[in-house]
Amino acid sequence: MSDPSAASLVSTPRIEQPGESGAPANAGLPESAQKQQKPRGLLGDAWLDLRRKPLFWISAAFILVFVVMAAFPSLFTSGDAVNGALSRSLVKPSADAWFGYDVQGRDVFARTIYGARASIVVALLSVIGTLLIGGAMGMIAGYRGGWVDALLSRVADIFFGLPFVLGSIVILTTFNGSGRDNSEWTIMGLVIMSLTVLSWPVVMRLMRSAVLATKEADYIVAARALGAGTGRIIFKHLLPNCLAPILVYGTIMVGSFIGLEATLSFLGIGLRSPVVSWGIMISEAQTLIRVAPYLLFFPAAFLVTAVLSFVTLGETVREALDPKLR
């Protein structure tokens, strides 16, 4: 309330401000203008900012193409990605085969299209598993605090200290060694497990930091004072306000996991035949780079484009959600 000073007691006529006569301030404006003046939340401001960025639309368009390519590869090619004819071995790109044929006479274009499925499926499922495990651990550690926080943080430090390549070699050579005849989905599941096990501590730290910064907010204290239980506070108040940095990191992590899967496949410890992926194609082309450089160029180009698209999308979303970066 304002202090009733002597000046305020003088009964002088006052100029009426817009909106004080009982009608809204935007009463004379068109309906579209009234909608524009409505207050927006964080997501509304972020979407308004994203719509103005060309990089967002470009990266989103590439990601949409790759997702459709992974889900419906037959829309892009009718070739056989697994079987080939030795009579077409190392035939160069032409109108009949845009990307040429590999050493076993298989269509490189078809293999590149079908290779998107394994690379993107492995990356997406690994990210989902990492976000679920790391997010749950971070939520528990940040909300409970005390010895629970200390115990979970030390466990995360142990996994965080493991070198990624060394840990992947141990896991994949143990369960997916050269003497094992695993199916396609078993091989992909083992790669997903290795990526998830070695990557969740980063997400755990992000979620823990977000929970620690949010759990003492006024609306959390008010909800606790009104008798809200732990489950309601976590799922109704904490989780929606802590998801933004996790989702942004998850988008960037999809691109990183596509590159990591290709790295493991290139080293011979990740995906392998009968699976078709960009990493396997790059590994098979390394010995023929001087004779047939197209065997390396096309899958590498698709791989780099996919990684850059996901990373760029994550960066643009991060800038839109962070008011300091606008």
Side-chain angles (χ1 to χ4, degrees):
M1 297 179 61
S2 60
D3 184 17
S5 59
S8 64
L9 298 177
V10 180
S11 58
T12 56
R14 182 171 60 88
I15 299 176
E16 191 176 66
Q17 299 295 330
E20 293 184 352
S21 60
N26 56 359
L29 297 177
E31 184 178 355
S32 60
Q34 294 181 18
K35 292 182 179 180
Q36 292 178 357
Q37 292 185 359
K38 289 182 179 180
R40 295 184 301 268
L42 177 63
L43 295 179
D45 289 337
W47 172 241
L48 184 64
D49 187 57
L50 284 174
R51 288 187 300 178
R52 301 172 181 172
K53 294 185 176 182
L55 283 178
F56 168 75
W57 294 108
I58 294 173
S59 59
F62 274 111
I63 290 173
L64 179 62
V65 171
F66 284 122
V67 170
V68 175
M69 188 185 300
F72 308 102
S74 58
L75 295 177
F76 297 85
T77 179
S78 58
D80 192 346
V82 179
N83 302 313
L86 292 178
S87 59
R88 302 177 301 191
S89 178
L90 297 181
V91 174
K92 295 182 179 181
S94 62
D96 297 330
W98 293 353
F99 294 176
Y101 294 94
D102 64 2
V103 68
Q104 298 183 26
R106 297 171 296 189
D107 189 350
V108 177
F109 178 73
R111 288 180 62 80
T112 303
I113 296 299
Y114 278 88
R117 171 178 293 178
S119 298
I120 292 180
V121 166
V122 167
L124 287 177
L125 293 181
S126 300
V127 169
I128 292 174
T130 302
L131 294 181
L132 290 177
I133 296 175
M137 300 278 279
M139 179 68 70
I140 295 173
Y143 185 77
R144 297 296 300 177
W147 67 270
V148 176
D149 184 16
L151 177 62
L152 294 179
S153 297
R154 299 296 77 77
V155 173
D157 290 340
I158 294 173
F159 283 89
F160 195 78
L162 292 175
F164 179 82
V165 176
L166 178 60
S168 300
I169 291 175
V170 173
I171 295 174
L172 294 175
T173 53
T174 301
F175 297 99
N176 191 32
S178 57
R180 295 179 179 270
D181 187 18
N182 294 322
S183 63
E184 178 179 350
W185 287 103
T186 302
I187 297 172
M188 294 174 63
L190 291 173
V191 175
I192 292 170
M193 181 188 69
S194 65
L195 291 174
T196 303
V197 168
L198 297 172
S199 303
W200 68 266
V202 180
V203 178
M204 184 262 188
R205 290 186 174 185
L206 287 175
M207 178 61 82
R208 176 180 176 273
S209 300
V211 171
L212 290 176
T214 307
K215 72 174 185 177
E216 299 300 333
D218 293 340
Y219 59 90
I220 301 293
V221 176
R224 191 180 294 113
L226 291 173
T230 301
R232 180 176 178 82
I233 292 176
I234 290 177
F235 292 103
K236 184 72 175 179
H237 301 289
L238 277 179
L239 190 59
N241 290 281
C242 297
L243 276 181
I246 305 302
L247 294 179
V248 171
Y249 181 74
T251 306
I252 299 175
M253 197 162 46
V254 173
S256 301
F257 278 2
I258 292 176
L260 290 174
E261 178 274 317
T263 302
L264 295 177
S265 300
F266 179 81
L267 295 175
I269 59 174
L271 300 180
R272 60 186 185 184
S273 297
V275 184
V276 180
S277 76
W278 295 328
I280 294 176
M281 296 179 66
I282 294 173
S283 178
E284 294 174 349
Q286 61 177 326
T287 58
L288 301 169
I289 187 171
R290 293 187 178 182
V291 179
Y294 58 89
L295 296 179
L296 175 65
F297 174 77
F298 292 113
F302 274 66
L303 174 66
V304 171
T305 304
V307 172
L308 287 180
S309 299
F310 280 101
V311 172
T312 302
L313 180 65
E315 288 293 335
T316 54
V317 173
R318 182 179 66 87
E319 293 176 0
L321 290 175
D322 192 349
K324 298 179 182 179
L325 300 176
R326 294 178 186 171

